[in-house]
Amino acid sequence: MTDSSYSPRPTPTTVAVLGCGWLGLPLAKALVAEGYAVNGSTTTPTHMLTLRDAGIRPYLLQLGPEFSQIDADSLHALLAGVDVLVLNVPPRAAAAGAYPALLRPVGSAVAAAGVRHVLFVSSTGVYPNENRIMRESDAVSSPDAPMDLLRAEGQFTPRWGKWLTTVVRLGGLFGPDRPPGRFLAGRHDLPQGSAPVNLIHLDDCIGLLQHIIREKAWGYTFNACASHHPSRSTFYTAAAVQMGLQAPTFQAEETGQSGKTIDSTLLRETTGYQFQHDDLLAALAYC
């Protein structure tokens, strides 16, 4: 829920994107095109010029066990004068159990820099793999949904009087340079063929994150994925065939077996964002 006592500042002029990779870089480019001043971080020295050429102020920054004073200085420089931080550091960047610690220096730097808004790019991996619809309040610790991600989210929400955070839990990512036809092609006897897929195209990742910043939708936790949930067997077979690859095969399953279905109704109703790729089979043409 939003903090009703909070009055948003005018449209921000500077956004920092911490993590300019497969999602972060095109998002940063889109924000530059929209007229924002954008700072961006990368862990790779050779990518600094790529960011600069795209109109993004580049900063070299490596979170993790080797986090140094140089990294700390770079992090503070990245956030200086910034109104919105897009925190886009995937959990796979950390060892098991270490994700909250990985992000702890970011929280301290956000407070020190006076950043007013944080857009935390999270994952639907916070939900257990149970045969039911998952809404934002259903995130719990379980063997297949460990607490790391929830703890990391909690480090940035809430911070009344300091900053407001919106958490966006993205479904599985696909799009250019990440075609789902390659994910399971040629594999055999796979489980959970009847389970629904919960995916989101890169275009919608970028579009909805821009939309949240533009509409100042702060203080929420949102699920984000297409409303279309074909079965794994239907979707990944179609994805492989479209690329001319060998289709995967799936195990026969007992009646009633399925998996979680991610509900993104709150995002749609609260922000008014219109998905570009709600039909996942049609979206295969845009990979």
Side-chain angles (χ1 to χ4, degrees):
M1 297 297 293
T2 54
D3 179 1
S4 59
S5 66
Y6 179 79
S7 297
R9 297 170 69 185
T11 300
T13 56
T14 304
V15 178
V17 179
L18 204 171
C20 288
W22 181 81
L23 167 57
L25 179 56
L27 171 63
K29 289 179 177 179
L31 290 168
V32 169
E34 196 172 347
Y36 294 98
V38 179
N39 299 343
S41 78
T42 177
T43 61
T44 308
T46 55
H47 290 174
M48 295 281 281
L49 186 58
T50 300
L51 269 61
R52 185 176 293 113
D53 288 347
I56 304 160
R57 287 193 292 268
Y59 295 86
L60 188 65
L61 171 61
Q62 180 72 60
L63 298 175
E66 303 303 320
F67 187 73
S68 65
Q69 185 59 51
I70 293 175
D71 292 312
D73 292 344
S74 184
L75 177 57
H76 284 280
L78 173 78
L79 299 179
V82 165
D83 190 83
V84 173
L85 166 64
V86 180
L87 181 51
N88 178 44
V89 179
R92 66 177 181 272
Y99 189 54
L102 181 82
L103 298 184
R104 197 163 293 125
V106 181
S108 299
V110 165
V115 175
R116 296 296 302 277
H117 308 102
V118 175
L119 187 47
F120 190 114
V121 180
S122 188
S123 165
T124 55
V126 298
Y127 301 108
N129 191 28
E130 298 175 358
N131 184 15
R132 60 188 177 93
I133 293 173
M134 296 292 174
R135 299 182 177 88
E136 286 77 2
S137 60
D138 292 318
V140 295
S141 178
S142 72
D144 53 6
M147 282 294 292
D148 279 13
L149 197 49
L150 277 177
R151 289 194 182 110
E153 290 179 4
Q155 289 178 176
F156 292 87
T157 56
R159 290 294 185 270
W160 298 290
K162 292 185 178 180
W163 68 79
L164 283 176
T165 297
T166 284
V167 175
V168 181
R169 295 170 177 162
L170 299 177
L173 307 177
F174 75 105
D177 299 321
R178 193 174 284 188
R182 296 190 184 278
F183 293 176
L184 301 179
R187 298 175 63 181
H188 299 288
D189 206 30
L190 295 168
Q192 294 189 299
S194 64
V197 297
N198 301 285
L199 299 175
I200 182 168
H201 192 279
L202 177 63
D203 291 343
D204 281 314
C205 296
I206 295 167
L208 70 89
L209 294 174
Q210 282 184 277
H211 187 76
I212 288 168
I213 294 171
R214 190 184 306 122
E215 298 300 317
K216 307 180 182 69
W218 303 115
Y220 293 92
T221 295
F222 292 128
N223 290 338
C225 69
S227 62
H228 184 209
H229 301 279
S231 69
R232 273 166 48 91
S233 60
T234 296
F235 179 77
Y236 287 108
T237 296
V241 168
Q242 186 192 51
M243 297 187 69
L245 301 174
Q246 182 182 3
T249 63
F250 292 83
Q251 300 170 2
E253 296 182 1
E254 296 179 8
T255 302
Q257 276 192 303
S258 189
K260 64 187 176 186
T261 299
I262 304 300
D263 185 332
S264 57
T265 299
L266 181 63
L267 169 71
R268 297 163 190 268
E269 293 184 347
T270 302
T271 71
Y273 178 73
Q274 300 293 315
F275 275 68
Q276 303 171 60
H277 302 293
D278 246 350
D279 184 325
L280 290 180
L281 294 176
L284 291 173
Y286 297 90
C287 295

